[in-house]
Amino acid sequence: MRSSAWSVAHCALILCTLRLIDGTKVQRQCGEGDYYYEYTECDSRGSRWRVAIPHEPGACTGLPEPVRGTECTFSCKAGEFLEMSAQECTQCAAGSYSLGSGIRFDQWDAMPAGFSSLATLLENGPHGEDRLTCNSSSWVPQGNYLESNRDECTVSLIYAVHLKKQGSVSFEYQYPDNNLLFEFFIQNDQCQEMDQSADTKWLKLTNHGEWATHTVNLKSGTNILYWRTGGVLMGSKVVKPVLLKNVQIEGVAYTSECFPCKSGSFSRVPGSSTCEPCPRDTYSNHGASSCTPCNSSTYYAAEGSGACKKRPPCSKKDYFQIHTACDHEGKTQVIYKWIEPKICLEGVTGAETLPPGGEREPCPPCNPGFYNNDTAICSPCPPGTYSDGMKPCQQCPAGTEPTLGYEYKWWNILPSNMKTSCFNVGNSKCDSMNGWEVAGDHIQSGAGSSDNDYLILNIHVPGFKLPTSVSSHSATEFGRITFEFETSCVADCELYFMMDVNRKSTMVVESWGRTKTRQTYTHIMTKNASVSYTWAFQRTNQPSDTRQYVNDVARIYSISVSNAVDGVSSGCRVCALSTQPSSSTCVPCPPGHYIDALTSQCSECPRNTYLVPHAAPSADACKPCGPGSRSDKDHSLCYSDCHFTHTDGNATLTFDFSLLGSVGTLMNGPSFTSKGTKYFHQFNISLCGGQGQLAVCTDNVTDLSVSDAQREKGEGPSAVKTFICQSTIIPASGRGFHTALSSQSINLADTFLGATVDDNLDGIRVTPEMYPKTSKKVPDINFFYRSLEVTSSCQSGRSAVVTLRCNPEKSTKGDLSVPSQCPAGTCNGCTFNFLWESSGACPTCTERDYHQIEGVCKGGHQDLLYVWTEPKLCMGGVALPEKKTLPCEGMEFWVRLGAGVGAFTAVLLVSLTCYFWKKNKRLEYKYSRLVMSANKECEMPVADSCAVMEGENEGDMEDEVVYTKPSLLGKLKAIASKGNGDNYENVQLNSSHSKALVWS
């Protein structure tokens, strides 16, 4: 009993102790470090409350009571923050900054709080497996910026922000490679995408190394921001990633704290809205109000550095050579300079010294169109004169005009209309002074501050001016740029050639990776516009802050631009003269006319020929169109009018391909990349017609500020308008995109060579074995095309062959296909083959294609029917004649007619038999008389004959011949005695002399 009571007391004591301990814990008062302030949502009257929120709920008691807060429209100025205890705006301390009603993210040593990177899993691969190949794909912090993934995975950078009022988001980005797709869009708290125009969703391409700024307005409330990249990468080409920095969001109404300055920057005074970068050879730590100098004798620091680096010994990578400008004696020399800023140390173990300058040597001649008037500077020739660069400027002879343009082949100084610069990937400018350096007979890429710098060379052409004799109304070539170059690399260098038309957006025309031998490239300008041509060289695509591959170099030996409106003249060309007597004024020729070299007058090209742009003045400037083609009225191009005729022996086949429609479309595939991403190739093909019926391919992911009408006409910078073009289509399913995307549009055929039943034309060959054989009697018609655009893989340009095959089982539009062994339409990347099977490709029907069938006679009438000869291999043309009904006779008439004809024939045969029998008997009688006369009164046979004796009167004899037909028994006896030579017939002769001579 005692023990039981003791147990109860012991339990009660423990319970009371626990309650006491718990009560003691609850009674602890909260300090300022145990909670923070936050505002409630604004009510309908525009007011709100300030409440204290503990860091650990239940850890203390005595939280401050809620108090009425500031008005919802309240905000602090830039450089201030809202001190929540007093609810007053307070200046930021030195070493920090504030945007007032905004926040900024400019430090990317790690992913800032609130940001997340999410990779979308790829769709099923070609064999149905779902491989998680995108787990390692993400946006990567690189210190001053964020770098996107370099593969084809779809990766989203996400940040959610709640705005108290309407605001905006702005950020800087680099987007140099259209092989990646880059979009920015916004969702609300219900994960619904907000209305957004196309030009704010899809980001425009930027120049290599240059940063662009993008700003989008935001609504109040929750905004979820998405930066998303993805694409389709064919082959082993390494793409340029998208870079992102300086993300700034306005509209948060207030900030309750200031942001410390990042390493390498500082703010020296309170109330700063920004932080300044530290000068060169100084550094700063996080939240610094000033920068600390480095020991410049042994250390260095670039602008905006967070630490000092030790200076290395000087090496050959730290200096470069240049040619000095020509002096008054016309001499130049090679000298060597340290790369600025100089970071290396001389005079230490293993350090290289700067080599001495070379000997003075004569300067190279001036470039064509310039002259040297005994000074050290080459000056442009005055208008109307020309020079080859070595002679004084001269006037063009009568009947000629000066050519305009630029031709640079000597590089003693950089031409005045050229600029060179260097862009670092993470910063806007390199530390190096120049991107390219002149070197006498060439210009070459400079050193840069790091291996992944973009070394830029730019030439701007304000417009083009065609020669006077060339009509601008029908011109297909306004000018061309040609340059000779080479690259020598051990790393993954790349040389880009780009152009920017009318300062809208820069597009990559062509690029060359790694080492390339000395070669020439030409690009044709097809419209008159202001254009900037840019060469960008990058030694490596990988992040780098050193100069390891400084010997990797790109060299350009010559650059020529024709018809530049601000150009100089290096020669003269023949022009057409006015018809006025003794006139020497050059006049323009009408479209399709060439200059006759003998008369200096304009002559129209012959029918079905086209005028070669800028050809020598002669009739040879007009080239004949290929088989099955004709020229337009301006003789600017050749095309098919959808009609074709083929003669084989005595048969002529006529084709009308207009039934196939103006443009055919083929989407082959699907195809899959190495990671299983599905994509399609879409081809648009225009068989016939001139400029108004060409096929158009456009990209819908870049430069969407172009209107839909312009895009349909092929007027955007990414649009391609030609006979045959190709686009890469990325389906919406499986990639997170809301619509199918079209990108990488290219031109496959802009020149029609001709149509023929032959397998080759102008060096382009089609292999009949590519397609299934057909036993039809109608031959295949091959349409041959070529593209004038030269690529690094196709030095002669691309070519294409469209084979039209008659197939009555297909529709009029028919079906397009590619060879089974070339699912991408090409097996070598340069020649494309297409098969277009259609009933519209069958020849026009003629009278040879049907025949007549006679029906049975019923009721005195007979039907005549007309049917097509099977299989029917024609289309259109003549129609089947209608059924005809003709009168006919019945069967009784023909029976009676047959019986009558038979009876008449029988009577005729009997009559003929009797006639010939009677005639035969008369012949026998005459024969018997002749025999009897020959033997009359011959007692004995004489030597010669037993004829009638001379003097006898033959007429006085009255002989009577009795002919006795031998009996059957007699005939047998005669046959039996035939062997003795005795064969007799009994003839009784009655004579007037009463003599009877009997043979027996």
Side-chain angles (χ1 to χ4, degrees), residues 76-132:
C76 293
K77 298 179 181 179
E80 298 179 342
F81 73 101
L82 181 62
E83 205 284 312
M84 295 294 287
S85 298
Q87 297 193 67
E88 294 179 353
C89 292
T90 305
Q91 282 189 341
C92 293
S96 63
Y97 73 97
S98 169
L99 300 177
S101 61
I103 52 177
R104 178 188 296 159
F105 302 95
D106 55 5
Q107 187 171 356
W108 305 95
D109 296 318
M111 191 71 75
F115 282 86
S116 61
S117 182
L118 176 64
T120 303
L121 300 182
L122 291 178
E123 59 194 5
N124 291 341
H127 304 294
E129 69 274 12
D130 192 5
R131 289 180 274 180
L132 307 180

Side-chain angles (χ1 to χ4, degrees), residues 373-395:
N373 54 356
D374 296 330
T375 64
I377 299 175
C378 292
S379 304
C381 287
T385 63
Y386 73 97
S387 172
D388 60 358
M390 294 182 288
K391 298 178 182 178
C393 299
Q394 306 175 47
Q395 291 286 340

Side-chain angles (χ1 to χ4, degrees), residues 272-323:
S272 297
S273 60
T274 59
C275 295
E276 301 176 33
C278 287
R280 187 180 307 279
D281 292 333
T282 63
Y283 74 98
S284 69
N285 296 318
H286 190 72
S289 58
S290 62
C291 297
T292 304
C294 299
N295 183 358
S296 60
S297 61
T298 55
Y299 288 87
Y300 77 97
E303 182 181 358
S305 297
C308 296
K309 296 181 180 180
K310 191 173 182 179
R311 294 182 181 271
C314 291
S315 67
K316 293 181 179 180
K317 299 177 181 180
D318 295 310
Y319 62 82
F320 63 97
Q321 71 173 28
I322 62 170
H323 286 71

Side-chain angles (χ1 to χ4, degrees), residues 285-474:
N285 296 318
H286 190 72
S289 58
S290 62
C291 297
T292 304
C294 299
N295 183 358
S296 60
S297 61
T298 55
Y299 288 87
Y300 77 97
E303 182 181 358
S305 297
C308 296
K309 296 181 180 180
K310 191 173 182 179
R311 294 182 181 271
C314 291
S315 67
K316 293 181 179 180
K317 299 177 181 180
D318 295 310
Y319 62 82
F320 63 97
Q321 71 173 28
I322 62 170
H323 286 71
T324 62
C326 288
D327 57 19
H328 63 282
E329 296 180 357
K331 300 284 188 175
T332 183
Q333 69 176 140
V334 174
I335 63 173
Y336 297 87
K337 285 188 174 183
W338 294 110
I339 296 175
E340 295 295 340
K342 181 183 176 184
I343 62 174
C344 64
L345 288 177
E346 297 182 81
V348 297
T349 304
E352 292 279 346
T353 59
L354 198 65
E359 296 183 0
R360 296 173 68 245
E361 55 187 20
C363 292
C366 295
N367 283 306
F370 292 82
Y371 72 100
N372 190 330
N373 54 356
D374 296 330
T375 64
I377 299 175
C378 292
S379 304
C381 287
T385 63
Y386 73 97
S387 172
D388 60 358
M390 294 182 288
K391 298 178 182 178
C393 299
Q394 306 175 47
Q395 291 286 340
C396 286
T400 63
E401 60 179 333
T403 59
L404 291 180
Y406 292 106
E407 186 177 354
Y408 301 124
K409 56 184 180 180
W410 300 108
W411 303 93
N412 192 51
I413 60 173
L414 192 70
S416 58
N417 63 338
M418 278 190 175
K419 294 181 179 179
T420 177
S421 58
C422 175
F423 288 94
N424 186 267
V425 172
N427 302 309
S428 59
K429 286 285 186 179
C430 300
D431 293 333
S432 179
M433 295 295 292
N434 295 321
W436 291 69
E437 299 154 355
V438 294
D441 64 340
H442 67 275
I443 184 172
Q444 65 183 18
S445 55
S449 59
S450 61
D451 285 338
N452 64 342
D453 290 346
Y454 288 104
L455 308 175
I456 306 298
L457 179 66
N458 175 272
I459 181 173
H460 178 69
V461 181
F464 297 90
K465 181 181 180 181
L466 292 173
T468 304
S469 301
V470 179
S471 173
S472 61
H473 300 289
S474 60

Side-chain angles (χ1 to χ4, degrees), residues 62 88 242 273 293 325 395 478 658 679 856 932:
E88 294 179 353
V242 175
S273 60
Q395 291 286 340
F478 286 90
S658 59
Y679 67 93
V856 297
M932 182 179 64

Side-chain angles (χ1 to χ4, degrees), residues 686-966:
S686 175
L687 275 180
C688 42
Q691 296 284 0
Q693 295 180 320
L694 297 178
V696 177
C697 294
T698 58
D699 297 351
N700 65 351
V701 294
T702 56
D703 203 23
L704 289 187
S705 59
V706 180
S707 65
D708 293 338
Q710 289 177 306
R711 193 158 45 248
E712 291 177 0
K713 295 178 181 179
E715 296 177 354
S718 63
V720 176
K721 188 175 184 180
T722 183
F723 283 104
I724 304 176
C725 57
Q726 172 194 296
S727 297
T728 300
I729 305 298
I730 305 172
S733 60
R735 300 310 306 270
F737 299 116
H738 300 284
T739 182
L741 303 181
S742 172
S743 65
Q744 303 174 16
S745 297
I746 59 176
N747 168 28
L748 299 182
D750 52 23
T751 302
F752 178 59
L753 300 179
T756 176
V757 297
D758 297 332
D759 296 334
N760 62 84
L761 181 66
D762 196 24
I764 305 173
R765 180 175 296 275
V766 58
T767 305
E769 291 76 15
M770 282 186 172
Y771 307 112
K773 294 184 179 180
T774 175
S775 59
K776 305 291 176 57
K777 297 180 180 180
V778 178
D780 293 340
I781 312 299
N782 297 315
F783 278 61
F784 291 86
Y785 301 88
R786 190 186 298 279
S787 172
L788 299 179
E789 294 183 2
V790 177
T791 66
S792 57
S793 301
C794 308
Q795 296 297 328
S796 300
R798 299 184 181 96
S799 58
V801 182
V802 181
T803 300
L804 300 183
R805 175 170 292 178
C806 171
N807 191 339
E809 298 177 359
K810 300 289 185 179
S811 63
T812 303
K813 286 280 189 180
D815 296 327
L816 273 164
S817 62
V818 294
S820 57
Q821 61 268 39
C822 306
T826 177
C827 294
N828 58 9
C830 295
T831 301
F832 290 78
N833 295 273
F834 305 94
L835 176 64
W836 197 335
E837 293 185 278
S838 166
S839 58
C842 295
T844 303
C845 294
T846 63
E847 289 80 359
R848 300 188 307 269
D849 297 305
Y850 63 84
H851 59 277
Q852 174 182 299
I853 297 179
E854 297 180 353
V856 297
C857 186
K858 292 184 179 180
H861 293 84
Q862 181 184 30
D863 292 337
L864 296 181
L865 301 177
Y866 297 89
V867 296
W868 294 111
T869 302
E870 294 296 336
K872 182 187 176 185
L873 299 177
C874 64
M875 191 74 176
V878 301
L880 279 176
E882 296 182 357
K883 180 178 68 175
K884 296 180 181 179
T885 302
L886 302 176
C888 64
E889 299 291 342
M891 181 61 67
E892 296 179 357
F893 168 79
W894 295 107
V895 171
R896 290 196 300 269
L897 180 61
V901 172
F904 173 77
T905 303
V907 172
L908 180 62
L909 290 176
V910 171
S911 300
L912 291 175
T913 301
C914 294
Y915 168 76
F916 285 112
W917 178 80
K918 185 176 180 180
K919 187 174 183 180
N920 186 53
K921 298 301 289 183
R922 296 176 66 181
L923 288 174
E924 287 182 357
Y925 166 74
K926 289 182 179 181
Y927 175 74
S928 299
R929 286 269 318 251
L930 180 62
V931 172
M932 182 179 64
S933 300
N935 296 286
K936 188 175 182 180
E937 295 181 356
C938 287
E939 298 294 335
M940 293 181 66
V942 293
D944 295 327
S945 66
C946 201
V948 179
M949 296 297 295
E950 185 179 357
E952 291 184 355
N953 188 1
E954 194 174 335
D956 295 338
M957 294 182 183
E958 295 181 1
D959 299 333
E960 181 179 349
V961 181
V962 179
Y963 175 77
T964 304
K965 186 176 183 180

